Amino acid sequence: MADTTFRLRVTYGKTGRLRFLSHLEVTHASERSVRRAGLAYAVTQGFNPRMKVAFGPALPVGTAGLAESYDVWLTRYLPPADALGELRRATPDGLAPIEARYVSEREPSLTAALTLAEYEVVVGGPDAGPDRVRTGLEAVLADGKLTLQHKGTPKVFDLAVFLPKEPTVGEYPGGSMVRMTTRMGASGTLRPEAFISEAIRRTSADGAVTSVTRTGLRPEGES
Amino acid sequence: MTDLWPVVEPLLARVERPARYTDREWGALHRPEAPYRVALLYPDTYELGMANSALAILYARLNTLEGVAAERVFVPWVDMGAAMREARVPLFTLESCMPVAECDLLGITLPYELTYTNILEALDLSGVPLRAAERSDGDVLVIGGGPCVFNPEPVAEFFDAILIGEGEDAVADIVEAHREAKAAGLSRAEVLERLSSVQGVYVPSLYAPATADVPARPLEGSRAPARVVKRVVQTLSAHATPPCPVVPFMDVIHDRASVEILRGCSRGCRFCQAGMVYRPVRERTPDEIVRDALAQLRCTGHEDVSLTSLSTTDHSRIEEVLRRLSAAVRGTGVALSLPSLRVDAFGVEMARLASSGGKKSGLTFAPEAGTQRLRDVINKNVSEEDLLATVRVAFGAGWRRVKLYFMCGLPTETDDDVRGIGALAWKVLDAAREATPPAQRGGIRIGVSVSVFVPKAVTPFQWEGQLPMEEVRRRQAILRDAMPRKGVDLHWHDAEVSFLEGALARGGRDLSRVIERVWREGGTFDAWTERFSFARWMDAFVAEGLDASALATAPRDPDAALPWDHISAGVDRAYLLSEREAAMGGRTTPDCTFDGCTGCGVCQDLGVDIVLAGGSRG
Ligand code: SF4
């Protein structure tokens, strides 16, 4: 096997019906896209050789993503535009790759690098307008922390850590839209849906989260 | 064509594993313009149905027909079923998300008896009357097919027609006959009469069911055949393996590319229904196999490819196939897998060849019985020496796990035979240890899986009684005591589930009342341990005045009529009887693909021949 490998970073969406896929399902589907695309992928050494590929932070079932990423190591250089073309041809629409580029081996892994996630959360309902939702959000933020149940055990989120900047609320047909950024880390991930649902509950508004989209991922310090 | 997606989508946020219902997988076929619409239902969850290769074959086949669209349907899991009923959303196809009731034809697989209640669940969710007799001209045509059709009677009243045998050619004929009948404006009764003239098609409503002495027979005035003879394809070469089957997003069992490298098996195990009903043996050529496997890997992106059949290592040119395929996938991380292996050094050699690309999966062997005497009764041509030698070769070659399949309750079985399974497990364990370097012996794993023998229609044992449950449990206790405590993982089948399978497998038309009652009492997904209620089934038998014990455990009189006598798999009754006699006399019968025709009658009855890629076997 060739010693040199080429680390291709593929950015893709998880949209439409395919937002209902789990992270594991997305990873399997992406590996299959790479095989179908005919890319010369590297294989891990060992008893159970597998494609050498690494994924960015997981997206839960039901959450859409506009710019998710994985790295796949190739044994032969292929111009990025060609790789992108082959991958697009071999991928179902809802997971279509948007960009492919090579990154240096020295760069940290996607999960280590991309710790900030940006979301758009749509809230719908008879009185889920921006003012009402904003009031709820302010109430939660004023507490400074949020306790959520995770598999039966309470987990406390320090909002100053998990929300690096204040969410904003805007108009949206049939309700409102919250734009927010969360910080992911070793201590866990704050699910936007849980956070916003709590805000709605605080105002006793008749509304619910109708969709969650991760619009982007970025490293600390960039904007 | 109604698009139900807008009402389905909101339900998905609150159900488990929504990817079961979303469609849009790679390979899903969308033909919205096709006027004739087929819904293909597998009566269990998505992940089970997507593992079924027959369904994949028919899906691909039907979608090549001009003007025909075939779409997949699975039974929504309990949570989704409840959500759909609450929101008044009917059962839908995946691709168009259209109501099943709006399709022209609803094809339903009959994979195993415990799915029968799910057929009713699916019909009810679709808003289609449960019984053929209650359907009218505008209702979708409901056609069954699959492994359980060789005794279709327990579910016969739920179907307008049932295809006996292989579907590749028959589905095209059925669709053609139905389209013509529709175009001619025929009534439902006329459509059914016409379908009964398609070879292999059984229209239950045209027959008077069997009584104790008289087999089922066509009704007065019907032109339906006295015996419905199964459909077979002459050669698999006429039908390439679908190159681009749907690739599930969900983790499904058997999530891999697969090529059926041969169909049928004539080793002649006397308990085995598949071995009797899928005759004769027809092999694909090595060129076709390699071509189909590589095409499917390319199109699907799967990481495994399985060479499937009832007895893969019997293929007359398997060695060539494996050499060529493993060379083709070397270095790609793609693994080749073989199902259950022949119990001999050749079987292990083939497994070694298959794993030469890198991955070593476990090995599976099926001695089926614990003593030579009983193996002769069931015609399982495996000796203890073969098995132990095979195990030594396998562990010597680096394998550390084998799985052994046995049955308990076979005709003439004694306590000694049961203890024999334990004794054999001890010897296998010893042989495995001997062949393994001392430092690695901790990794040795012997799996022993013991199912309960259930007599099936169209086998030499179709007249035998099944063991009563208490007796099964007593023998399972003997088995447990006879097994090594360490190094062996013992699994056995549940006595209640096996008992019910037996009662359903050989029952008659009146069983439809029991099945319907169980479903009305909430029974669905009976094949799932957490959903199975034995009490619900037994209560339904009692309420309908039927004796489940008699159905399962009482031996049948070879002179009496059987509920499936009007269905022919091509194997002569006389052959089954002579095989039964040979069994009781402990005499074995050779495999016709190795040693010449043994006279089962299939080739003559169906006008076919065995097809061997290498000209001969052995
Ligand atoms: S008729 Fe003879 S050759 Fe054909 S399957 Fe039966 S035993 Fe084999």
Side-chain angles (χ1 to χ4, degrees), chain B residues 585-597:
Chain B
R587 291 189 305 278
T588 58
T589 302
D591 181 335
C592 63
T593 56
F594 288 87
D595 297 301
C597 180

Side-chain angles (χ1 to χ4, degrees), chain A residues 17 19 32 36 41 89, chain B residues 9 26 255 299-300 332:
Chain A
R17 298 183 184 204
R19 73 181 186 280
R32 286 179 185 148
R36 286 192 294 259
Y41 55 87
R89 182 187 56 72
Chain B
E9 187 175 21
W26 188 255
D255 196 0
C299 190
T300 60
T332 59

Side-chain angles (χ1 to χ4, degrees), chain B residues 109-338:
Chain B
T109 312
L110 299 170
Y112 32 85
E113 291 83 4
L114 291 180
T115 61
Y116 288 170
T117 48
N118 271 5
I119 294 172
L120 299 184
E121 174 74 353
L123 289 171
D124 183 67
L125 278 170
S126 305
V128 174
L130 300 185
R131 287 170 188 270
E134 297 158 1
R135 294 179 198 135
S136 46
D137 286 359
D139 282 317
V140 60
L141 188 66
V142 182
I143 302 195
C148 287
V149 301
F150 294 94
N151 176 21
E153 292 306 279
V155 289
E157 301 204 339
F158 308 132
F159 287 93
D160 296 307
I162 296 174
L163 170 66
I164 313 298
E166 298 169 358
E168 282 95 339
D169 297 328
V171 290
D173 295 350
I174 290 170
V175 166
E176 205 40 52
H178 189 212
R179 279 204 283 203
E180 276 173 29
K182 279 194 139 185
L186 299 190
S187 70
R188 195 170 190 90
E190 290 164 327
V191 170
L192 294 181
E193 185 71 39
R194 179 167 293 197
L195 281 174
S196 75
S197 69
V198 175
Q199 203 229 307
V201 174
Y202 168 48
V203 177
S205 59
L206 299 180
Y207 292 76
T211 62
D213 329 291
V214 187
R217 64 216 168 277
L219 293 173
E220 207 76 47
S222 161
R223 293 186 312 267
R227 298 184 78 196
V228 182
V229 179
K230 87 165 177 195
R231 199 66 187 262
V232 285
V233 297
Q234 298 274 348
T235 152
L236 299 187
S237 305
H239 300 281
T241 312
C244 297
V246 179
V247 183
F249 290 117
M250 268 182 80
D251 238 343
V252 309
I253 52 165
H254 306 320
D255 196 0
R256 56 201 180 194
S258 78
V259 177
E260 184 187 23
I261 72 164
L262 69 100
R263 191 174 290 179
C265 168
S266 43
R267 295 216 149 219
C269 298
R270 292 173 178 137
F271 56 83
C272 179
Q273 191 188 40
M276 294 295 156
V277 303
Y278 297 128
R279 289 173 179 226
V281 166
R282 286 145 293 161
E283 297 180 349
R284 278 190 198 283
T285 66
D287 285 350
E288 286 164 20
I289 297 167
V290 173
R291 174 200 71 194
D292 290 1
L294 296 181
Q296 211 183 82
L297 282 171
R298 221 171 8 248
C299 190
T300 60
H302 274 300
E303 48 268 58
D304 297 275
V305 58
S306 179
L307 304 180
T308 67
S309 78
L310 295 168
S311 56
T312 293
T313 40
D314 280 343
H315 191 285
S316 55
R317 289 169 73 185
I318 185 69
E319 189 164 354
E320 176 190 344
V321 168
L322 290 173
R323 278 190 201 290
R324 287 170 61 182
L325 266 182
S326 53
V329 301
R330 189 157 295 137
T332 59
V334 168
L336 305 183
S337 61
L338 301 174

Side-chain angles (χ1 to χ4, degrees), chain B residues 32-105:
Chain B
E33 70 299 333
Y36 187 90
R37 309 205 67 87
V38 181
L40 289 176
L41 170 81
Y42 187 88
D44 211 308
T45 57
Y46 174 94
E47 57 273 31
L48 284 159
M50 287 304 294
N52 186 277
S53 50
L55 203 65
I57 290 172
L58 297 184
Y59 178 76
R61 176 83 180 102
L62 284 162
N63 277 309
T64 61
L65 299 178
E66 180 70 37
V68 177
E71 309 199 337
R72 297 163 297 151
V73 188
F74 302 97
V75 183
W77 185 247
V78 187
D79 58 349
M80 182 65 169
M84 287 164 62
R85 283 202 171 90
E86 194 194 314
R88 301 185 166 281
V89 174
L91 188 62
F92 53 91
T93 66
L94 291 189
E95 285 79 356
S96 308
C97 210
M98 70 182 284
V100 166
E102 283 183 20
C103 293
D104 298 281
L105 192 157

Side-chain angles (χ1 to χ4, degrees), chain B residues 266 279-281 575 592-593 596-604 608 610:
Chain B
S266 43
R279 289 173 179 226
V281 166
Y575 180 77
C592 63
T593 56
C597 180
T598 57
C600 82
V602 161
C603 295
Q604 298 74 18
V608 288
I610 54 181

